[in-house]
Amino acid sequence: MAVAARKTKAPAQAKAAAKPAKTRSAKSGSAKSGSERAPGAAPSNVPVFSKNEELHAYREMLLIRRFEEKAGQMYGMGLIGGFCHLYIGQEAVVIGMQMASKDGDQVITGYRDHGHMLACGMESRGVMAELTGRQGGYSRGKGGSMHMFSREKNFYGGHGIVGAQVSLGTGLGFANWYRADGRVSMAYFGDGAANQGQVYESFNMAQLWKLPVVFVIENNRYAMGTSVNRASAQTDFSRRGLSFGIPGEQVDGMDVRAVRDAANRAIEHARSGKGPYILEMQTYRYRGHSMSDPAKYRSKDEVQRMREEHDPIEQVRGRLTREFKVGEDELKAIDAKVREIVNDAAEFATHDPEPDPSELWTDITLETARA
């Protein structure tokens, strides 16, 4: 009975450093699970952002939104081939996390990755060129949507195998622990990948060695097309580390302020040597799993309701106009600048040359430097 009553709270020593507990959307031992309460149900006392913080979040999320909209258009025109998984609706998760991270912290994720790349500071031109398979892409046109990286920006992929990034992200955390470099690895994965066995092997290792890893579960409620209620026996994903003693919490992933606040706690916990932390981001994607998914497993009314009531960008926009009296002209100017960046990226990705056939033989093995 004692086990059933446990909650995935941080240990006592970590709790003292994390005061604003009410910013958590729900404690892991609460009656409602992540699937029972719609994302966007924010607590009343989320932290307040300054005007500059709101503007930063607005611009960064808008860049992801416009980039993904353009990628969707280019896919429809046949300029992008293969798979293409869009991040529209989930922008607050990665932007809030990045607002809490420090230089040197690492990001690794699955194949819904364009937003994470942009949030890490990777150039729109390089990301879009990789989508179109051009030599100016981050993987020189050979990786496509799901496989690009930037060591300079500490972005370690973009991985096409479901759940693979979790064990790799744990490996990054091991390297940080071994080098004692103070860095934290942030491993993003979805509610579908959360059921993979390697995830729990990674949880066990990370907690055994107190590795500096934050596991970010982006729960968009439908995995690849199946509701969490039909696919998961435990739908409160913040509890998934319970048997390993890993603290976790549910977060309103549609509110960038709540995300940043929870990320501060989680990253500090990991960086201070207390081991891994789980954040279940309750979010929602507006498009299907990929561009080829008609998303008939949910109603149009549900998607429209989420857009109208919980859109992460519109929430920030509303606060800027109401609380900081930011005018429409200023917001339109931000949008125009973002569109200019995205249109430039699309133009570059359309006309940049395709990789030379000789590229088929590169990046296969590691070549050591010769004396």
Side-chain angles (χ1 to χ4, degrees):
M1 289 296 164
V3 174
R6 286 182 63 190
K7 300 179 181 180
T8 44
K9 290 182 179 178
Q13 66 268 30
K15 190 176 179 183
K19 188 66 177 169
K22 285 196 175 182
T23 55
R24 304 174 186 184
S25 298
K27 292 181 181 178
S28 298
S30 63
K32 290 187 177 182
S33 72
S35 63
E36 292 175 298
R37 189 185 64 257
S44 58
N45 61 336
V46 291
V48 176
F49 270 15
S50 67
K51 179 181 178 180
N52 286 339
E53 288 171 329
E54 295 280 24
L55 285 170
H56 171 80
Y58 181 74
R59 185 201 173 279
E60 295 301 306
M61 289 194 292
L62 195 61
L63 176 61
I64 296 174
R65 178 71 58 89
R66 297 293 181 244
F67 183 95
E68 295 290 66
E69 289 170 347
K70 179 62 73 173
Q73 293 173 8
M74 294 176 71
Y75 188 94
M77 296 167 63
L79 295 171
I80 297 174
F83 289 99
C84 185
H85 307 82
L86 303 182
Y87 200 60
I88 297 174
Q90 299 183 211
E91 298 91 349
V93 176
V94 71
I95 295 304
M97 290 296 301
Q98 287 301 107
M99 290 177 76
S101 68
K102 294 183 179 179
D103 289 343
D105 290 342
Q106 302 127 328
V107 171
I108 189 168
T109 187
Y111 39 74
R112 196 179 308 279
D113 52 5
H114 317 146
H116 301 74
M117 297 171 193
L118 297 175
C120 288
M122 293 169 66
E123 293 294 330
S124 298
R125 276 188 165 199
V127 177
M128 193 69 86
E130 190 59 42
L131 296 183
T132 58
R134 306 306 173 109
Q135 67 179 17
Y138 271 97
S139 293
R140 296 202 286 276
K142 300 185 292 184
S145 174
M146 298 192 287
H147 303 97
M148 54 183 122
F149 314 83
S150 174
R151 289 194 63 179
E152 178 188 3
K153 299 297 183 181
N154 292 302
F155 180 77
Y156 287 81
H159 294 272
I161 299 175
V162 176
Q165 71 274 24
V166 183
S167 52
L168 294 172
T170 303
L172 290 171
F174 179 83
N176 296 337
W177 170 81
Y178 186 81
R179 295 168 180 152
D181 57 18
R183 295 181 175 186
V184 172
S185 166
M186 290 170 281
Y188 292 78
F189 56 107
D191 48 293
N195 294 323
Q196 293 286 318
Q198 61 188 314
V199 171
Y200 299 94
E201 294 180 61
S202 299
F203 285 176
N204 187 54
M205 286 182 175
Q207 181 67 346
L208 266 176
W209 296 328
K210 302 297 182 187
L211 303 182
V213 183
V214 177
F215 296 108
V216 186
I217 304 176
E218 298 191 81
N219 179 9
N220 61 40
R221 302 168 68 184
Y222 289 101
M224 290 180 67
T226 303
S227 168
V228 293
N229 293 315
R230 297 179 59 203
S232 299
Q234 171 56 272
T235 57
D236 184 341
F237 291 92
S238 69
R239 295 174 62 88
R240 291 300 182 94
L242 189 66
S243 62
F244 305 101
I246 302 176
E249 59 182 278
Q250 293 179 319
V251 184
D252 177 8
M254 304 299 274
D255 189 332
V256 68
R257 302 169 303 172
V259 173
R260 204 271 303 265
D261 185 61
N264 280 333
R265 284 192 295 277
I267 292 173
E268 173 56 28
H269 177 93
R271 201 185 308 278
S272 62
K274 294 167 185 167
Y277 203 102
I278 294 174
L279 293 176
E280 178 199 343
M281 298 294 178
Q282 296 181 322
T283 186
Y284 195 87
R285 66 163 190 262
Y286 298 157
R287 302 288 185 93
H289 171 67
S290 69
M291 288 297 295
S292 59
D293 175 16
K296 293 182 178 179
Y297 40 82
R298 58 185 180 178
S299 69
K300 292 182 179 179
D301 288 343
E302 177 184 301
V303 179
Q304 187 62 29
R305 184 171 65 253
M306 291 301 300
R307 278 184 175 272
E308 292 176 353
E309 298 177 7
H310 303 298
D311 185 81
I313 297 174
E314 287 302 314
Q315 287 187 58
V316 176
R317 194 178 195 280
R319 292 195 297 270
L320 284 170
T321 55
R322 288 191 312 271
E323 300 169 20
F324 297 103
K325 309 305 178 186
V326 176
E328 284 295 321
D329 289 345
E330 185 174 351
L331 294 174
K332 287 181 179 178
I334 294 173
D335 194 6
K337 180 61 177 176
V338 166
R339 288 179 185 274
E340 181 182 326
I341 293 170
V342 171
N343 289 335
D344 172 74
E347 184 72 12
F348 175 77
T350 303
H351 296 99
D352 190 48
E354 294 183 352
D356 188 85
S358 63
E359 282 290 339
L360 286 169
W361 310 107
T362 62
D363 303 315
I364 298 172
T365 59
L366 179 65
E367 296 182 8
T368 57
R370 296 180 180 177

